[in-house]
Amino acid sequence: MARAVSTRRKWITTVVAWALALLIFFPILWIILTSFKTEAEAISTPPSFLFFDWTTENYGTVQERSNYFRHFWNSVVISIGSTVIGLIIAIPAAWAMAFVPGKQTKNVLMWMLSTKMLPPVGVLVPIYLIFRDVGLLDSRLGLIIVLTLINLPIIVWMLYTYFREIPVDILEAARMDGAALRNEILYILTPMAVPGIASTLLLNVILAWNEAFWTLNLTAANSAPLTAFIASYSSPEGLFYAKLSAASTMAIAPILILGWFSQKQLVRGLTFGAVK
């Protein structure tokens, strides 16, 4: 029987949740507000929160100085491309680990996860030299390959967790009906794990979108995404906080909108299999 929750406890929980949410969101809110200030107001002491002369001049200056839409398109291609390729590789891999008995499955999963513990700078030089020699330097294809390999352990781990919650009896019934391996994965397993796959896709799009280390070191002009677009406003001439905030707001706005409209699917996927 469900335990009754008092109205007072509901109010306390709601207030605490909103307070934590505002605390986490405050840095983003401050960046958005700073983007509408002049450079003088952006560095004023004490800082002004809402009562200042609002201006959109920073956005016009940022667009004049940089081609925002080119950087935006590069981010879209790189993040979605790396995530889709990662899913194509990870779905069969996670299926094998979840439904094919093996004593080394956990060891393989831990080995894959351990690759995330290596500092990226440790392999920067060899990857940079390889990309330079094969012509992948400053190309969207090169970044797609790198980000796919970087995020692949996370994709496999998440999908493995979701697949483990699917009853194996369903797959065995499909095999008894004559379903081939390809049909089992495409038409039985994948549709049942749509919430988990969707949340994995969304999370890895966000990770690829926010990746800065590799995008700054492996690109120059042709394939630079929005992370490089933001970094271009930190120069030896000084930090222009208002313009930097405007560039940051333009870079995070698409992913914030995506997260807002897909939050229901994301939460559903992250809690997939939590309650039986």
Side-chain angles (χ1 to χ4, degrees):
M1 189 173 81
R3 185 175 57 181
V5 180
S6 64
T7 303
R8 182 171 176 269
R9 184 173 181 180
K10 289 181 180 178
W11 273 102
I12 293 174
T13 304
T14 302
V15 170
V16 171
W18 273 102
L20 290 174
L22 290 174
L23 182 64
I24 295 171
F25 184 73
F26 183 78
I28 299 175
L29 177 61
W30 187 257
I31 289 174
I32 295 173
L33 291 175
T34 304
S35 69
F36 291 100
K37 297 180 181 180
T38 62
E39 291 295 346
E41 289 174 328
I43 60 174
S44 64
T45 304
S48 54
F49 187 66
L50 291 175
F51 303 102
F52 56 86
D53 295 328
W54 293 65
T55 178
T56 58
E57 179 184 357
N58 297 315
Y59 290 93
T61 303
V62 167
Q63 182 58 28
E64 289 175 3
R65 175 176 169 179
S66 306
N67 189 343
Y68 167 78
F69 293 102
R70 178 170 58 84
H71 293 288
F72 169 77
W73 179 245
N74 287 337
S75 288
V76 170
V77 173
I78 292 168
S79 58
I80 294 179
S82 62
T83 301
V84 170
I85 294 176
L87 285 175
I88 292 173
I89 298 172
I91 289 176
W95 171 88
M97 294 181 183
F99 299 111
V100 178
K103 295 181 180 180
Q104 300 300 321
T105 297
K106 291 185 178 180
N107 293 335
V108 172
L109 286 170
M110 287 303 301
W111 171 77
M112 293 181 63
L113 192 61
S114 68
T115 61
K116 296 291 295 180
M117 303 175 189
L118 174 70
V121 70
V123 292
L124 173 61
V125 172
I127 289 180
Y128 182 91
L129 295 177
I130 292 172
F131 274 39
R132 184 197 63 183
D133 295 340
V134 301
L136 290 177
L137 198 63
D138 193 20
S139 69
R140 289 195 292 244
L141 177 60
L143 283 178
I144 288 174
I145 294 173
V146 168
L147 295 184
T148 298
L149 297 176
I150 289 174
N151 293 328
L152 191 58
I154 297 177
I155 301 176
V156 173
W157 259 91
M158 292 184 67
L159 292 180
Y160 169 79
T161 303
Y162 300 136
F163 289 174
R164 288 288 294 174
E165 300 298 330
I166 296 176
V168 69
D169 296 341
I170 297 177
L171 301 181
E172 291 177 351
R175 294 168 194 166
M176 293 179 63
D177 289 338
L181 177 60
R182 175 177 173 274
N183 294 332
E184 177 184 332
I185 295 176
L186 287 179
Y187 302 115
I188 307 298
L189 180 67
T190 303
M192 294 183 63
V194 163
I197 293 174
S199 63
T200 302
L201 185 147
L202 291 171
L203 180 61
N204 282 273
V205 165
I206 294 171
L207 291 175
W209 188 279
N210 293 332
E211 175 60 41
F213 179 82
W214 292 107
T215 55
L216 292 177
N217 285 286
L218 298 180
T219 61
N222 296 328
S223 61
L226 287 171
T227 47
F229 168 74
I230 297 173
S232 65
Y233 287 88
S234 176
S235 64
E237 300 172 2
L239 286 174
F240 301 94
Y241 290 107
K243 296 178 180 60
L244 179 61
S245 297
S248 300
T249 301
M250 295 171 70
I252 65 176
I255 210 68
L256 278 177
I257 295 172
L258 175 65
W260 178 266
F261 284 103
S262 60
Q263 59 180 318
K264 183 177 180 181
Q265 186 67 37
L266 184 60
V267 171
R268 182 186 176 194
L270 291 176
T271 56
F272 181 74
V275 180
K276 292 189 178 181

